[in-house]
Amino acid sequence: MSDWRRIDIDAFDPDSRLTAEDLIPSYDRQITLEELQPKMQQLRTLSSGGDTRNAIHLITQDPPYSADDNTKDLYFQVVLETLCQVRQVDIANIVKELNTEQQVVLVKYLYKGMSLPEGQKQGGILLAWFEKLTQSNGITPIVHYLSDRRNV
């Protein structure tokens, strides 16, 4: 018992083992494209009308985590259009108005945008969002993004 640091205490507790299925987040139901169409139309209306502040708030509220990949990609195209229509002088004020959960969702969209060819074409705008977000809140939203298994 002199080398107590090498004892695997989890081996003595049969309930402590997690399976791969335990790590996958559970969703109540699958979101369809038909359910997202009104929100997508509202985003287009808000951003084309110049109300980008409310459009960003709408984007960061209730993201479609449980949608299939095709639906997420179509929704992301609208999100990317909205992010690109915001003037750079307004980005800092919009970011300051977002709560922590909304900032994490925004970081998820920024990382997704930087990983796709469509988003890489708008890389300067996405990096401007990223810069204002980190200036305002440090690395907290990034750490939350890295530890969250849900993706947009």
Side-chain angles (χ1 to χ4, degrees):
M1 212 47 152
S2 64
D3 197 10
W4 57 271
R5 290 182 211 154
R6 293 186 183 195
I7 296 174
D8 182 14
I9 60 170
D10 290 333
F12 299 107
D13 185 11
D15 296 329
S16 68
R17 300 292 178 183
L18 293 175
T19 63
E21 292 81 29
D22 294 334
L23 299 176
I24 298 173
S26 62
Y27 302 111
D28 293 335
R29 62 182 185 79
Q30 186 84 4
I31 295 177
T32 63
L33 182 59
E34 290 78 26
E35 292 174 308
L36 278 179
Q37 287 292 347
K39 187 174 180 179
M40 293 165 64
Q41 185 60 39
Q42 186 179 7
L43 282 173
R44 285 188 178 114
T45 303
L46 286 171
S47 61
S48 66
D51 192 4
T52 54
R53 174 173 276 115
N54 285 331
I56 299 301
H57 282 279
L58 184 61
I59 286 170
T60 57
Q61 293 173 359
D62 195 30
Y65 289 129
S66 63
D68 63 353
D69 290 338
N70 186 36
T71 303
K72 287 181 181 182
D73 290 341
L74 292 173
Y75 183 73
F76 176 72
Q77 294 302 322
V78 178
V79 169
L80 184 61
E81 291 170 14
T82 304
L83 290 172
C84 292
Q85 289 184 359
V86 178
R87 297 182 319 173
Q88 290 204 5
V89 295
D90 296 335
I91 293 175
N93 293 330
I94 293 172
V95 166
K96 288 178 185 175
E97 294 175 357
L98 300 176
N99 63 33
T100 305
E101 186 176 323
Q102 290 174 316
Q103 292 168 1
V104 172
V105 172
L106 181 60
V107 167
K108 289 178 182 183
Y109 283 122
L110 295 176
Y111 273 115
K112 182 171 185 167
M114 289 185 241
S115 69
L116 298 174
E118 302 88 19
Q120 291 171 1
K121 292 176 186 175
Q122 306 296 333
I125 296 169
L126 296 179
L127 287 174
W129 277 99
F130 199 81
E131 176 189 19
K132 298 302 181 189
L133 189 64
T134 54
Q135 283 177 353
S136 174
N137 303 299
I139 62 168
T140 303
I142 299 167
V143 172
H144 287 208
Y145 160 75
L146 292 172
S147 64
D148 194 354
R149 293 191 161 275
R150 300 174 295 175
N151 60 8
V152 291

